């Protein structure tokens, strides 16, 4: 089964507190012709770099019935700046044209299959997924971006057209999962990777009868899981 919500699937229900003091459910956005849910945070440079563009998109399509809602699912233990209190401060400073929701349990992020910040999910009137992925092809440096996939998607939907490219790879920081390192690697895998470089030659020299191939396979798989290139 795919980790990320698939095109055509229904938006999972949620009930999340927002920085405005209210609790929002999916049904609270029922009047939206198009709903753009995006996973974001307070600190990621890819988010900070593209917030202005996202604001422009929300304002551009607001009169056409498009509603934006942001969700922060990052663990505050991994990155304290992503706490709810900091979310409130961030919204008070920036006054973004969307509600900012807190998914502290990370259940909503798992239900949608959020991978990065930012990661966009666009739903039609029936709340079926019609697009997921990136906004810009260079969110960290939007002045160097050559494509705005979100803008193109929303224009096609509003124009009654089929979304030409419904799936792109989100570009940004990893979602900061509880109990994992900032790169998204489980702590036990991170510890293994750190010491495997030391342990493997010792084990291979015969102090323990562990085949070198098995050690190398686990070393590489741990590295891939942690987002580290192993050579």
């Amino acid at each position: 089964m795919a980790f990320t919500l698939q095109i055509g699937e229904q938006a999972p229900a949620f009930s999340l507190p927002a920085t405005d003091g209210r609790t929002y459910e999916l049904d609270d956005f029922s009047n939206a012709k198009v709903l753009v849910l995006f996973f974001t945070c307070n600190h990621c440079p890819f988010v900070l770099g593209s917030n202005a563009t996202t604001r422009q998109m929300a304002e551009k399509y607001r009169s056409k019935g498009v509603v934006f809602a942001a969700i922060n699912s990052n663990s505050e233990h991994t990155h304290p700046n992503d706490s709810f209190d900091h979310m409130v401060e961030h919204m008070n400073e920036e006054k973004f044209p969307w509600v900012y929701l807190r998914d502290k349990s990370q259940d909503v992020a798992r239900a949608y299959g959020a991978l990065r910040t930012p990661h966009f999910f666009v739903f039609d009137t029936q709340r079926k997924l019609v697009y997921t992925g990136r906004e810009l092809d260079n969110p960290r440096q939007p002045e160097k971006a050559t494509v705005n996939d979100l803008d193109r998607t929303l224009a096609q939907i509003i124009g009654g057209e089929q979304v030409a490219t419904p799936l792109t790879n989100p570009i940004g920081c990893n979602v900061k999962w509880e109990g994992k390192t900032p790169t998204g690697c489980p702590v036990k895998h991170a510890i293994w990777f750190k010491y495997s470089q030391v342990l493997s030659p010792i084990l291979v020299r015969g102090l323990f009868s562990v085949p070198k191939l098995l050690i190398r396979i686990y070393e590489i798989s741990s590295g891939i899981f942690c987002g580290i290139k192993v050579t």
Side-chain angles (χ1 to χ4, degrees), residues 24-43:
Y24 289 83
E25 298 182 358
L26 181 63
D27 288 344
D28 289 319
F29 303 97
S30 59
N31 291 331
K33 181 177 180 180
V34 178
L35 179 62
V36 180
L37 294 177
F38 63 104
F39 290 82
T40 185
C41 64
N42 299 330
H43 78 279

Side-chain angles (χ1 to χ4, degrees), residues 18-94:
T19 56
D20 62 5
R22 291 181 54 190
T23 295
Y24 289 83
E25 298 182 358
L26 181 63
D27 288 344
D28 289 319
F29 303 97
S30 59
N31 291 331
K33 181 177 180 180
V34 178
L35 179 62
V36 180
L37 294 177
F38 63 104
F39 290 82
T40 185
C41 64
N42 299 330
H43 78 279
C44 173
F46 294 89
V47 169
L48 298 179
S50 60
N51 270 338
T53 301
T54 308
R55 183 195 295 272
Q56 291 171 4
M57 294 298 97
E59 293 173 344
K60 177 180 179 179
Y61 290 99
R62 177 189 294 165
S63 63
K64 302 182 186 302
V66 179
V67 174
F68 280 61
I71 302 174
N72 177 13
S73 301
N74 277 359
S75 166
E76 61 190 62
H77 299 114
T78 305
H79 209 294
N81 283 347
D82 284 328
S83 69
F84 186 76
D85 287 342
H86 282 97
M87 288 173 58
V88 173
E89 293 177 9
H90 193 48
M91 281 295 285
N92 287 338
E93 293 172 359
E94 299 293 341

Side-chain angles (χ1 to χ4, degrees), residues 75-135:
S75 166
E76 61 190 62
H77 299 114
T78 305
H79 209 294
N81 283 347
D82 284 328
S83 69
F84 186 76
D85 287 342
H86 282 97
M87 288 173 58
V88 173
E89 293 177 9
H90 193 48
M91 281 295 285
N92 287 338
E93 293 172 359
E94 299 293 341
K95 296 179 171 55
F96 290 119
W98 50 71
V99 296
Y100 196 9
L101 307 168
R102 179 59 171 149
D103 174 30
K104 187 173 183 178
S105 70
Q106 304 186 318
D107 289 341
V108 177
R110 282 187 284 268
Y112 281 76
L115 299 172
R116 303 277 180 178
T117 56
H119 190 169
F120 292 83
F121 294 80
V122 181
F123 297 91
D124 64 13
T125 306
Q126 288 75 41
R127 296 299 174 261
K128 291 185 178 180
L129 185 68
V130 293
Y131 174 81
T132 183
R134 68 192 185 188
E135 176 180 47

